[in-house]
Each structure stands twice: as C-alpha cells, then as structure tokens.
C-alpha cells in the first residue's frame, strides 16, 4: 500500500514519512527532491520565478507521476502546497492513501517564525496571511484525506512516530 504524507509546512511530513517508510520497509521519497531532479540546476524558487506557477505545477505533476509509475509500496512526503495542484491530488487518490498530518495553526506559525518567514507570506502581516493560507489549505486537505493524524507539539519524535504507526495500523493493518 502506498502512503502520501500531506499537511502544512512544518507539520512533520518529511520527518515522519521517512521514518514510517523505514519502519515498514517501504521506499521513501520527498516530492521536493523529485522536482529538483527535474529542474536542476535551478532551485524551486528560481524555477517558479522564471517560469511561473503553471510551469511549476506541471513539473510537480510530472515528478510525482513518474515516481508513482516507477515504484510500488512506498511512502511519499509532499510539499505543503501540493494541495493547490488538483491533478496531483487526484492522481494520489487513485494510487494510495493520503495521510494528512494536522497540527494546530498556532504551533505551525510559531515553527515558521522560528525557521524564518517564507516568501509566500506577506511581511507586513504574516500572521494574517498564514491564517488565510491555513484555512484554505486545511479545507482542501480534508476534502482528499483518507486518514487524518492530529499531532500536537512533538518534543519526542520516537513517541510521535509510534503514535503515527499505531494510527496507520489501526486503519490499514500492518
């Protein structure tokens, strides 16, 4: 069974998708790395700035599609904005289970502030911009999810991993 880990920026998608894959002996990849392989030597920001949103969404779709078509029994972690790419969301629904790692908005925003504000947040009012983004993306994720795993602050990653594994086993078996 294929698992797609989705969620907002800093929800733990990459960290826990990779560890779930290790625990379950599955192949793991991150969609950001797959995209970078296609657009190299440009960074995602450079590519997006040079070619625009639509071109980026096409590269994102190509990267995820190629991975799905060449792998089986995997865990794929996805960028926080994947929900804005409807064809990719529908493709993933056809080929596996979408696991939505949700965390409270306040915790996510605090983590974003600690790591540095991304360019997609308005510097004059980043909190309000993030709130709007959170509401919009949360709604989209919920419309596609197969399983939501609610995470709070996870100071102990091993404990959080065990919680995620127990939720996956509860729903899909070992």
């Amino acid at each position: 069974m294929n698992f797609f880990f989705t969620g907002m920026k800093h929800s733990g998608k990459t960290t826990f998708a990779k560890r779930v894959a290790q625990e379950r002996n599955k192949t793991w990849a991150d969609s950001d790395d797959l995209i970078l392989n296609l657009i190299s030597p440009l960074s995602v920001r450079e590519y997006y700035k040079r070619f625009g949103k639509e071109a980026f969404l096409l590269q994102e779709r190509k990267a995820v599609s190629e991975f799905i078509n060449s792998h089986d029994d995997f865990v794929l972690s996805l960028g926080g904005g994947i929900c804005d790419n409807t064809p990719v969301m529908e493709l993933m629904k056809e080929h596996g289970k979408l696991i939505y790692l949700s965390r409270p908005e306040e915790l996510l925003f605090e983590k974003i502030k600690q790591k540095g504000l991304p360019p997609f947040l308005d510097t004059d009012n980043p909190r309000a911009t993030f709130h709007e983004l959170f509401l919009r993306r949360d709604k989209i994720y919920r419309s596609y999810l197969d399983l939501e795993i609610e995470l709070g602050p996870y100071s102990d990653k091993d404990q959080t991993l065990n919680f995620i594994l127990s939720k996956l086993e509860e729903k899909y078996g070992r």
Side-chain angles (χ1 to χ4, degrees):
M1 180 176 301
N2 303 323
F3 293 119
F4 299 95
F5 274 61
T6 63
M8 297 291 289
K9 184 175 186 64
H10 296 305
S11 62
K13 302 176 300 290
T14 300
T15 298
F16 294 112
K18 186 175 188 178
R19 293 187 70 186
V20 164
Q22 290 169 340
E23 288 290 321
R24 292 223 166 166
N25 295 315
K26 292 177 177 279
T27 300
W28 169 79
D30 184 278
S31 66
D32 290 343
D33 294 336
L34 300 174
I35 295 164
L36 285 172
N37 288 338
L38 291 177
I39 65 172
S40 180
L42 297 177
S43 71
V44 169
R45 268 191 198 143
E46 291 167 329
Y47 186 90
Y48 197 96
K49 187 176 180 180
R50 188 178 296 177
F51 299 105
K53 180 180 180 177
E54 292 307 314
F56 174 78
L57 293 176
L58 287 173
Q59 291 297 330
E60 187 174 54
R61 182 178 184 183
K62 181 179 180 186
V64 172
S65 179
E66 286 178 359
F67 182 80
I68 288 171
N69 290 330
S70 62
H71 293 83
D72 196 29
D73 199 32
F74 60 80
V75 179
L76 181 63
S77 51
L78 301 142
I82 197 89
C83 61
D84 293 329
N85 198 331
T86 302
V88 175
M89 295 298 287
E90 291 172 359
L91 180 68
M92 291 184 300
K93 280 296 280 186
E94 293 173 22
H95 293 278
K97 303 297 180 187
L98 267 75
I99 310 303
Y100 176 37
L101 296 184
S102 66
R103 293 184 72 198
E105 180 181 347
E106 308 77 49
L107 289 176
L108 293 169
F109 186 70
E110 284 306 310
K111 188 77 165 173
I112 287 171
K113 283 192 336 191
Q114 289 171 9
K115 299 280 186 176
L117 293 177
F120 58 80
L121 292 182
D122 179 3
T123 54
D124 292 334
N125 195 347
R127 182 68 184 99
T129 307
F130 181 73
H131 177 69
E132 290 173 20
L133 182 72
F134 179 88
L135 292 176
R136 185 177 62 73
R137 287 186 174 174
D138 182 69
K139 183 178 180 180
I140 296 168
Y141 286 130
R142 289 178 187 286
S143 72
Y144 282 97
L145 68 80
D146 291 296
L147 175 65
E148 177 182 8
I149 301 176
E150 296 179 40
L151 303 177
Y154 46 81
S155 56
D156 185 318
K157 290 184 180 173
D158 291 333
Q159 203 172 27
T160 303
L161 173 64
N162 288 333
F163 176 71
I164 291 169
L165 288 168
S166 72
K167 292 295 183 184
L168 290 171
E169 192 170 325
E170 215 173 89
K171 179 100 177 182
Y172 303 111
R174 181 76 181 124

